[in-house]
Amino acid sequence: MSSDFSVEKVAPACGAIVTGVDLARIDDRTFDRLREVWLEHLVLFFPDQHTMTAEAHRDLALRFGELEIHPHAEKVSEALPEICLLHSERGGRADVWHSDVTYTPSPPVAVLVRFVQGPSVGGDTIWSNQYLALESLSAPIRELVSGLSALHMSTIDSEMAREFPVVRTHPSTGRDALYVNRLFTRALPELLPGESDALLQHLFEWSEKPEFTCRWRWSPGDMALWDNRCVLHRAINDYAEERVLHRAMILGEAPKGPAPRWEKPATPVQASSVGYEHRGKGALGR
């Protein structure tokens, strides 16, 4: 297959539509070109991928790397544990800004989803560019957050928690991105409790500004690929009909960035509920 597909931007901040490619049948040259376009636009949309099966979905995701088998999400089948079934009526709504499972030792670097069915109106997903979120902060705040770590915690199991830099350096592009999210980030351990809550709330609101975003209205057969290292996403819960997606998550490197520059307080900050919103079991929807 030729790698001469078309790319059209969705919004100035991020996102592009790719047409002229059948994701179920791509050669190595096409894949390499798609990866370059993905790193440039952060979120790619592929309309009308009607030949894509769950098996082909898994095989395409495997080209990016090892796949996660999510411990809580429903699976498409026992034979395909790498493909999660996100059903709006079975715990599959996540109407809150987040990056996927940032509380694990190596959170997914990429997410590849296929839209199976959904409402005729509503149920859109929004993404936010966290390169821009960091770069647009004032210089003093940007300097401060570049020396902090953040505690990320599961919404289901508080034992599943990790600390990562607030600023994450992308291993492929070398760019720094803000790496906190409203669903899973619960504290900034180098700060006092009130300071941690206040700064986190500011960073959440800042990272979700409309000018950093793109939005997609789904149709059956659509696929989307996004970089979980440098974008947030949110599925808008404004619909009453069933909404079903299949999701594969690609594992990779543990988040890296500037090391914390300060010692933690004698009284450690506790996990806070600031910004935290729960949307059903696991908040697994997209």
Side-chain angles (χ1 to χ4, degrees):
M1 174 178 287
S2 171
S3 59
D4 297 330
F5 48 79
S6 298
V7 179
E8 179 184 357
K9 294 185 71 171
V10 172
C14 60
I17 303 171
V18 178
T19 54
V21 61
D22 182 352
L23 291 179
R25 301 178 181 85
I26 63 172
D27 56 26
D28 291 342
R29 182 184 176 192
T30 303
F31 177 80
D32 291 343
R33 175 62 182 136
L34 281 175
R35 189 176 185 280
E36 293 175 1
V37 173
W38 169 58
L39 291 173
E40 177 184 356
H41 295 284
L42 314 187
V43 188
L44 297 183
F45 305 104
F46 303 90
D48 301 321
Q49 297 295 315
H50 296 290
T51 64
M52 181 65 67
T53 64
E55 291 81 3
H57 185 174
R58 175 201 58 199
D59 294 344
L60 175 60
L62 279 169
R63 300 185 76 152
F64 289 90
E66 179 185 359
L67 302 187
E68 185 200 52
I69 299 178
H70 197 285
H72 305 296
E74 184 178 355
K75 309 303 187 295
V76 169
S77 71
E78 291 185 3
L80 289 169
E82 305 92 345
I83 305 297
C84 294
L85 175 66
L86 305 177
H87 195 296
S88 60
E89 308 312 305
R90 302 203 292 266
R93 301 196 185 206
D95 185 17
V96 54
W97 285 103
H98 65 289
S99 298
D100 281 321
V101 293
T102 58
Y103 50 83
T104 58
S106 298
V109 298
V111 181
L112 179 66
V113 300
R114 180 166 69 100
F115 191 80
V116 178
Q117 69 177 75
S120 57
V121 178
D124 296 359
T125 302
I126 313 176
W127 290 262
S128 181
N129 182 337
Q130 297 306 285
Y131 291 145
L132 296 182
L134 178 67
E135 292 165 359
S136 63
L137 287 168
S138 67
I141 297 297
R142 194 165 60 247
E143 177 70 15
L144 172 61
V145 300
S146 295
L148 297 176
S149 61
L151 173 67
H152 298 254
M153 183 179 295
S154 168
T155 60
I156 298 174
D157 182 358
S158 62
E159 296 299 315
M160 298 180 68
R162 292 292 186 280
E163 287 185 25
F164 294 123
V166 169
V167 173
R168 180 173 187 172
T169 303
H170 198 291
S172 297
T173 67
R175 296 180 68 183
D176 288 336
L178 190 62
Y179 195 66
V180 297
N181 71 87
R182 190 178 289 272
L183 186 57
F184 299 124
T185 308
R186 307 297 292 279
L188 303 173
E190 289 78 33
L191 301 184
L192 296 173
E195 297 170 337
S196 174
D197 288 354
L199 183 53
L200 271 180
Q201 186 62 43
H202 174 68
L203 294 178
F204 293 152
E205 294 176 357
W206 190 268
S207 68
E208 300 158 4
K209 294 177 69 174
E211 54 264 44
F212 304 149
T213 68
C214 71
R215 179 169 178 157
W216 186 251
R217 180 177 180 181
W218 296 98
S219 295
D222 288 355
M223 295 193 73
L225 170 71
W226 66 87
D227 196 324
N228 201 53
R229 297 164 289 194
C230 55
V231 295
L232 303 177
H233 62 283
R234 174 187 178 187
I236 301 176
N237 186 12
D238 62 350
Y239 57 95
E241 304 164 67
E242 289 186 350
R243 181 178 181 272
V244 181
L245 295 91
H246 292 176
R247 179 189 68 188
M249 299 197 294
I250 297 93
L251 297 174
E253 72 286 339
K256 296 181 179 179
R261 296 199 300 271
W262 299 279
E263 294 183 1
K264 297 177 182 178
T267 302
V269 62
Q270 300 298 310
S272 170
S273 61
V274 61
Y276 169 69
E277 301 174 54
H278 191 57
R279 290 289 190 272
K281 182 181 179 182
L284 299 171
R286 300 291 166 263

